[in-house]
Amino acid sequence: MPEGTGHGRRIVIGIGNPDRGDDAAGRAVVGLLRDAAPEGVELVEQDGEPTALLSRLEGAASAILVDACHSGAPAGTVRCFDVANEPLPRAFFGLSTHGFGLAEAVELARALGRLPAACRVYAIEGASFALGAPLSPPVAAAVVSVASRLRSELEPAPERGAERCTRHR
């Protein structure tokens, strides 16, 4: 996790609907982390319902959220946003079936003082969100890549500098 997060609660939340193709990307990343997460890292899969997300973030020192996005980039493109320091671009995350998307949930957490001091969002560009569809091949490959990166980031390594998100507009 980024420097300065202390020894507080760390959480990784995989967001998405497992029955809607590439929308399951976030949950698939968490599924791959289940057998390899370091002690003290909480792994959660959820559908993205805003009040549940706010509840999970409360009291966390650091959080990583992983979700599918749809911005028009090639399927499997991975972006990382440091949402502790800047808003999540709404254009990447449309409204959910609840009428309230991830960008709005993050900003509500910020406004309520529930956004962890260290908070990043990994966005995996999806291609197919059809009911009953599996992950598309480029998204499945991105899921493996993000899970691998998170395994490295979550391991305590004082000699290694903290990973940083690349700034995206």
Side-chain angles (χ1 to χ4, degrees):
M1 296 311 297
E3 296 168 322
T5 59
H7 297 289
R9 189 170 135 250
R10 300 187 303 162
I11 188 168
V12 178
I13 303 173
I15 300 167
N17 182 334
D19 298 320
R20 296 202 68 97
D22 292 342
D23 193 42
R27 293 175 80 132
V29 168
V30 167
L32 290 177
L33 292 174
R34 289 240 180 254
D35 294 333
E39 187 175 327
V41 175
E42 184 179 348
L43 299 174
V44 176
E45 293 180 42
Q46 76 168 69
D47 62 9
E49 196 279 319
T51 57
L53 181 60
L54 290 175
S55 176
R56 291 291 189 171
L57 291 175
E58 190 166 11
S62 62
I64 297 173
L65 312 174
V66 186
D67 198 5
C69 71
H70 186 68
S71 69
T77 299
V78 176
R79 293 181 188 86
C80 180
F81 301 95
D82 179 357
V83 296
N85 293 308
E86 63 185 359
L88 186 61
R90 293 174 199 261
F92 289 90
F93 300 90
L95 294 178
S96 74
T97 55
H98 304 284
F100 197 73
L102 181 59
E104 290 82 8
V106 166
E107 290 312 306
L108 181 58
R110 186 187 320 277
L112 294 173
R114 293 185 184 175
L115 191 67
C119 188
R120 294 191 313 277
V121 172
Y122 279 87
I124 300 173
E125 185 75 24
S128 171
F129 297 89
L131 186 60
L135 290 175
S136 65
V139 171
V143 162
V144 171
S145 174
V146 170
S148 176
R149 179 173 176 176
L150 291 182
R151 273 189 211 99
S152 294
E153 287 182 33
L154 293 168
E155 286 296 331
E159 70 282 353
R160 177 175 48 85
E163 297 292 329
R164 299 279 184 231
C165 289
T166 304
R167 190 178 189 133
H168 294 279
R169 293 268 177 225

